[in-house]
Amino acid sequence: MGCLHSTGWWSHKEPREPHQEPKSYSWDKKDRVNPADFTVENVSNEEVGRLPGTIGGQQFIIQNCQASQIYLFDCINTITIDDCSDCIIFVGPTTGSLFLRDCQDCVVMAACGQFRTR
């Protein structure tokens, strides 16, 4: 009368797959950056610099500096210089833009893809 207890192709269990690790993505593996490492601010009458290999193509900010010499000897993505006065600023190769805003009597030497002032 029927095939209630028969074993056919549908009754065989397929072997289980081994335990899989959760997927990991490239953005999960990135090191977290500390914004303070890519900022020079509130410097007065000092000489400050970053050596090659310390910036590594990140964005950089210089702000509120007076009568200082600032040297950045590394590749930079984008740099913003705000509210500085009487400063000498040397910027290494910049792939993006250099923004210079609200600065007075500054000397800026830079190699950049785009130079913007306000």
Side-chain angles (χ1 to χ4, degrees):
M1 256 304 250
C3 304
L4 279 180
H5 296 290
S6 65
T7 57
W9 60 270
W10 60 86
S11 65
H12 294 290
K13 292 185 178 179
E14 293 184 20
R16 292 187 179 195
E17 301 216 5
H19 177 68
Q20 293 180 351
E21 295 289 325
K23 288 186 178 182
S24 64
Y25 300 98
S26 62
W27 54 83
D28 292 334
K29 296 178 184 177
K30 280 187 178 178
D31 294 332
R32 302 287 182 218
V33 294
N34 184 3
D37 294 338
F38 306 105
T39 304
V40 172
E41 61 182 335
N42 301 323
V43 176
S44 181
N45 297 318
E46 290 184 42
E47 185 173 347
V48 179
R50 297 290 193 275
L51 295 175
T54 56
I55 300 172
Q58 296 288 328
Q59 295 181 8
F60 204 88
I61 299 171
I62 300 173
Q63 60 187 4
N64 301 325
C65 299
Q66 285 97 28
S68 298
Q69 295 85 33
I70 301 168
Y71 303 101
L72 305 176
F73 295 115
D74 199 7
C75 295
I76 301 170
N77 183 13
T78 301
I79 183 163
T80 304
I81 304 171
D82 291 326
D83 300 317
C84 294
S85 62
D86 300 321
C87 292
I88 296 173
I89 302 171
F90 177 85
V91 179
T94 304
T95 57
S97 300
L98 185 145
F99 296 96
L100 188 66
R101 300 183 287 211
D102 302 322
C103 296
Q104 298 175 354
D105 299 324
C106 290
V107 176
V108 178
M109 293 163 279
C112 58
Q114 189 177 57
F115 183 74
R116 295 181 173 199
T117 61
R118 183 183 66 145

